[in-house]
Amino acid sequence: MKLARRSVAIGALVTVLGIGVLWQGTDGFTAFTAETARREALLRAPRSLPVVVLEDQDGRIFDLQDYQGRLLAVEFIYTRCSAVCSTLGMAFKQIRDHVPQQALGRDFALLSISVDTEADTPGRLKAYADAYGADGKRWRVARVRNTAELKPLLDAFGIVVIPDGLGGFEHNAAIHLLGRDGKLALIRDINEPIPFAEKIMQWL
């Protein structure tokens, strides 16, 4: 009888410890994947983004600080990507079409940033932009001009990019929203463009 009670007590202790480890490792059960944990951490403590020089599909030079005072949707792509980047492009197109047209450019803009700074020349960025209807004003497609500045930018957004061994890259994908203060305010899955757009509309 004592042995049975001891076994039950040990089992209960193991369960409690397991729940504690799971609670700590998943941010209180809110993060069951590394990607969810990344988003939770970024939104709890929004980071100031590094100053990086960007070049868009028309060869124009700008930086993220140019968008201060406006809401800015940001996604990370590369033009040779035929899988997740196509989904990202379509998601941005849906967001653009869902947000009030009078707000585009003035109160809200979209920015696709390439993770392949060397291969994605302005010409390739232009072809990608044309494919999805990015006009270069309300929606820009750009690359980081100085390759050394790319990693700090990716780190600030929690984006991990790994060569796939076939000349391309594997990378986590999401739709990010920068608030008017230039800090991360919202992160959504790429298959949730309409809820993302509706959230933007609440803040316009």
Side-chain angles (χ1 to χ4, degrees), residues 59-175:
R60 293 175 299 180
I61 304 302
F62 67 104
D63 59 45
L64 292 175
Q65 285 64 38
D66 292 345
Y67 290 96
Q68 287 277 346
R70 288 182 282 173
L71 300 174
L72 178 66
V74 180
E75 65 177 1
F76 290 88
I77 55 92
Y78 68 101
T79 63
R80 292 176 295 126
C81 175
S82 59
V84 68
C85 299
S86 297
T87 305
L88 282 163
M90 291 303 298
F92 256 36
K93 190 173 182 180
Q94 290 182 62
I95 293 167
R96 181 204 61 196
D97 293 344
H98 198 76
V99 171
Q101 295 302 295
Q102 66 270 21
L104 286 172
R106 184 190 66 192
D107 303 305
F108 166 69
L110 302 104
L111 176 61
S112 302
I113 302 176
S114 172
V115 301
D116 191 356
T117 56
E118 293 184 4
D120 281 341
T121 61
R124 287 189 173 180
L125 297 175
K126 179 70 172 173
Y128 181 93
D130 290 345
Y132 294 99
D135 62 0
K137 296 177 181 178
R138 299 176 298 178
W139 176 4
R140 287 169 122 168
V141 182
R143 66 174 180 173
V144 176
R145 205 167 187 215
N146 181 351
T147 302
E149 294 179 346
L150 178 61
K151 189 175 187 308
L153 180 64
L154 295 176
D155 289 346
F157 279 91
I159 299 296
V160 178
V161 179
I162 303 170
D164 63 7
L166 301 171
F169 302 94
E170 295 288 344
H171 63 95
N172 52 331
I175 308 168

